[in-house]
Amino acid sequence: TVALILTVLLMLTLVSCVREVYDIDITTNGGKVKQEEIITKEIYDTLISMGTDPSDFEAAGYELSFYEDDGTEYVKATLIETFDTVEELSAYLSSIGAGENEDENTDIADAFFADIKIEVDEENNTILISGKVNEQEDVSAYSSCKVVLNFPGKVIEHNIGKKTNRNSISIDM
């Protein structure tokens, strides 16, 4: 059922506007990701009319909230995941934006990032993230997709995105 929800949601996002935010807290021993997918209530209602049970979102770990902005009603699906190691978080970062194929394996070619590696140097009290940004063929389905990286200390250097405060970098995908 969850696969059906995600498939239908993916079909609708290909012809609709979706706002997506990945707010990622990186620590020396893993981290936490808050993923928010925001769609119009009209799209949500279409999913429900096609047989999606609203409890399926909750069963998949999403918390739904409804709000109105400038006369348009929206539904926000929020999923929070915790990672116990930087290796697990690195693997997750490498999967952001990737679709699922028939075997339910991540299609890395569509992922936003590739070869992400998080290195912690406890002696120098630093965290280094390296990898590359994959070129996206068609992101017209999104009105916005943002990845925010939050560090436990000051960002000293970066070559991607925009520093939004002393501890965070925002990347507009």
Side-chain angles (χ1 to χ4, degrees):
T1 317
V2 172
L4 176 63
I5 291 172
L6 297 176
T7 301
V8 172
L9 188 56
L10 179 61
M11 287 183 346
L12 289 171
T13 61
L14 294 176
V15 296
S16 307
C17 291
V18 172
R19 288 185 292 204
E20 193 168 26
V21 176
Y22 294 87
D23 194 6
I24 302 163
D25 294 333
I26 301 166
T27 66
T28 58
N29 59 352
K32 180 174 79 172
V33 176
K34 180 170 85 171
Q35 176 186 353
E36 295 179 337
E37 307 260 350
I38 302 168
I39 59 175
T40 63
K41 183 148 182 331
E42 179 181 4
I43 293 171
Y44 174 79
D45 290 342
T46 301
L47 286 171
I48 302 307
S49 72
M50 294 174 70
T52 299
D53 185 339
S55 66
D56 290 343
F57 290 101
E58 187 176 303
Y62 288 89
E63 180 180 312
L64 296 181
S65 58
F66 300 81
Y67 68 96
E68 186 175 321
D69 184 24
D70 203 22
T72 302
E73 294 179 83
Y74 293 95
V75 178
K76 178 170 42 175
T78 304
L79 177 66
I80 297 176
E81 296 182 78
T82 302
F83 300 91
D84 295 327
T85 67
V86 292
E87 291 79 16
E88 289 176 2
L89 183 58
S90 295
Y92 177 86
L93 291 174
S94 294
S95 74
I96 293 176
E100 301 286 327
N101 66 22
E102 290 176 14
D103 298 327
E104 295 190 24
N105 294 320
T106 303
D107 183 2
I108 298 300
D110 294 335
F112 293 147
F113 306 110
D115 305 321
I116 296 295
K117 184 175 181 186
I118 300 173
E119 298 174 71
V120 176
D121 181 345
E122 292 189 26
E123 185 175 306
N124 292 311
N125 202 26
T126 60
I127 298 174
L128 172 68
I129 299 179
S130 60
K132 71 176 192 171
V133 176
N134 286 327
E135 196 167 315
Q136 299 299 304
E137 289 186 26
D138 183 17
V139 292
S140 60
Y142 297 99
S143 60
S144 70
C145 182
K146 182 170 41 172
V147 176
V148 179
L149 303 173
N150 304 301
F151 295 89
K154 181 180 177 183
V155 173
I156 299 169
E157 183 180 328
H158 65 95
N159 61 3
I160 187 171
K162 180 174 105 177
K163 192 172 173 180
T164 55
N165 65 45
R166 70 183 308 269
N167 298 24
S168 299
I169 296 171
S170 178
I171 305 166
D172 186 358
M173 300 309 292

